[in-house]
Amino acid sequence: MAKKRPQTKAERPQLSDAEIPVVGAREPCPCGSGRRYKACHGRAAAHAVTELVHRPFEGLPGECDWVALRELVPAATAELTLKDGLPADVPSVTLATVLPMAWPALRRDDGSVLLGLQNDTASGDLSRDLADTLQRALKAAPGTPVQGRRAPTDGPRLQDVLDLSAPLEPVVHSGFEFWVPDAENATPEVTASLERANAAAIPTARLTGVDAAYWCETPEKNHLRWVMPHPEEQLLDALARLHAAGRSHLGEGTRLVGSFRAHGVIVPVWDLPSGVTADDVEKPATEFAERLAAALAVTEPLTVDERKARGGLTNRQVTLS
């Protein structure tokens, strides 16, 4: 009998995690390891999808504004500063709440980059997904959108690529005209998307006297939604103390009605009469911030009335993410 010749394995090109496509769990892994996908790169992919980072913007300047622009504000932009500076062919990088056709990012004809914040992401770490999209947008051909993908599990996060000494300064817009520098020459698809977005946008304004507080106008009543960075339990105790004392309002006819939980922080919400504008609530919000600071400093246990107020607030809490 002829002897079996030893088999030799051909050299396979090394692929990064991001280059390995997703296949069926029982299929051979595309990396060429010979193992099934679920036991090879599929394991890391599944881990990345299921491992949720509850506070993805922690450590970024303006964390609460990041949360607001992700969850609450229809149309806004903010200039981003990169830690290593801009590439020579990229004049600017701008964070945007949403982009045409819900693109994750867009490299404009002039080379500038728009990074969309309100998008579905492939993993449980929103910061890593956004950083991956941003890095690919910096290298994309001018005039092209950047599609979403599964980011490498060991890829950088926003905290790694942005200049953490540069403040985030959101600019709220009445519509989405910032999408295109010349709306008259936009493609029919972008024009249609722009019209739909403008029709659905709720009038919104950012207060100037306090951080990350956003007024919005709705047909029946107006609201103030204020993203706060304080630890949840401490903040809820402070709000309960003020609520029980009748000091949680923002002026006549206003009412603290509950809160959202979004990306690891709490967003108290007030109902405002329809006639109350953003300018009208500036002074009451500043005064409330002073009352809240004093309540946050209290360490005594809650009274019976305060515990009852706290229960009412937590019962009306909704988790957005």
Side-chain angles (χ1 to χ4, degrees), residues 38 48 54 58 71 83 115 135 151 172 183 211 216 242 275 319:
K38 69 177 183 179
H54 292 278
E58 186 175 15
E71 299 294 344
K83 181 176 66 175
L115 177 65
Q135 290 190 315
V172 178
D211 292 333
C216 67
L242 294 175
T319 300

Side-chain angles (χ1 to χ4, degrees), residues 80-87 93 134 138 161-163:
L80 297 180
T81 304
L82 305 189
K83 181 176 66 175
D84 297 327
L86 293 170
V93 174
L134 173 57
L138 294 172
V161 300
L162 297 182
D163 181 353

Side-chain angles (χ1 to χ4, degrees), residues 21 30 33 39 79 93 124 133 166 185 189 192 203 222:
S33 66
E79 295 301 310
V93 174
T133 299
N185 294 323
E189 293 82 2
N222 299 341

Side-chain angles (χ1 to χ4, degrees), residues 232-289:
E232 179 174 343
E233 297 303 316
Q234 183 185 9
L235 176 58
L236 290 175
D237 281 354
L239 291 173
R241 296 182 197 279
L242 294 175
H243 202 60
R247 305 182 68 208
S248 64
H249 61 82
L250 297 175
E252 184 178 356
T254 68
R255 186 168 67 98
L256 175 64
V257 294
S259 63
F260 299 109
R261 181 190 291 112
H263 302 292
V265 296
I266 299 299
V267 188
V269 179
W270 285 262
D271 279 351
L272 313 173
S274 296
V276 174
T277 66
D279 290 339
D280 294 333
V281 82
E282 285 278 7
K283 182 179 179 182
T286 301
E287 294 171 346
F288 177 84

Side-chain angles (χ1 to χ4, degrees), residues 27-225:
E27 294 182 35
C29 186
C31 75
S33 66
R35 292 181 291 171
R36 290 177 177 174
Y37 179 68
K38 69 177 183 179
C40 192
H41 282 83
R43 179 180 299 169
H47 182 68
V49 169
T50 57
E51 185 180 22
L52 177 64
V53 176
H54 292 278
R55 197 165 174 176
F57 304 121
E58 186 175 15
L60 292 176
E63 176 191 5
C64 292
D65 282 306
W66 279 89
V67 173
L69 267 56
R70 166 74 180 184
E71 299 294 344
L72 306 175
V73 183
T77 56
E79 295 301 310
L80 297 180
T81 304
L82 305 189
K83 181 176 66 175
D84 297 327
L86 293 170
D89 58 343
V90 178
S92 64
V93 174
T94 302
L95 180 71
T97 48
V98 68
L99 295 179
M101 278 75 77
W103 289 327
L106 171 65
R107 182 84 186 273
R108 282 175 160 168
D109 291 336
D110 66 355
S112 61
V113 169
L114 291 177
L115 177 65
L117 187 53
Q118 297 179 13
N119 293 295
D120 293 332
T121 56
S123 81
D125 188 350
L126 180 57
S127 177
R128 195 180 308 281
D129 289 335
L130 288 168
D132 178 69
T133 299
L134 173 57
Q135 290 190 315
R136 290 186 293 124
L138 294 172
K139 301 175 182 178
T144 59
V146 175
Q147 302 299 331
R149 73 168 187 181
R150 174 171 56 85
T153 56
D154 59 348
R157 308 176 74 237
L158 287 174
Q159 290 82 346
D160 302 317
V161 300
L162 297 182
D163 181 353
L164 301 185
S165 68
L168 185 77
E169 299 178 347
V171 177
V172 178
H173 304 277
S174 59
F176 295 87
E177 283 72 21
F178 64 85
W179 281 354
V180 287
D182 184 6
E184 294 183 357
N185 294 323
T187 65
E189 293 82 2
V190 171
T191 299
S193 185
L194 177 62
E195 292 175 351
R196 289 193 300 270
N198 282 343
I202 297 174
T204 302
R206 183 176 185 266
L207 300 194
T208 59
V210 295
D211 292 333
Y214 290 81
W215 169 94
C216 67
E217 179 182 21
T218 61
E220 295 183 358
K221 63 184 69 175
N222 299 341
H223 305 280
L224 184 75
R225 299 176 290 188

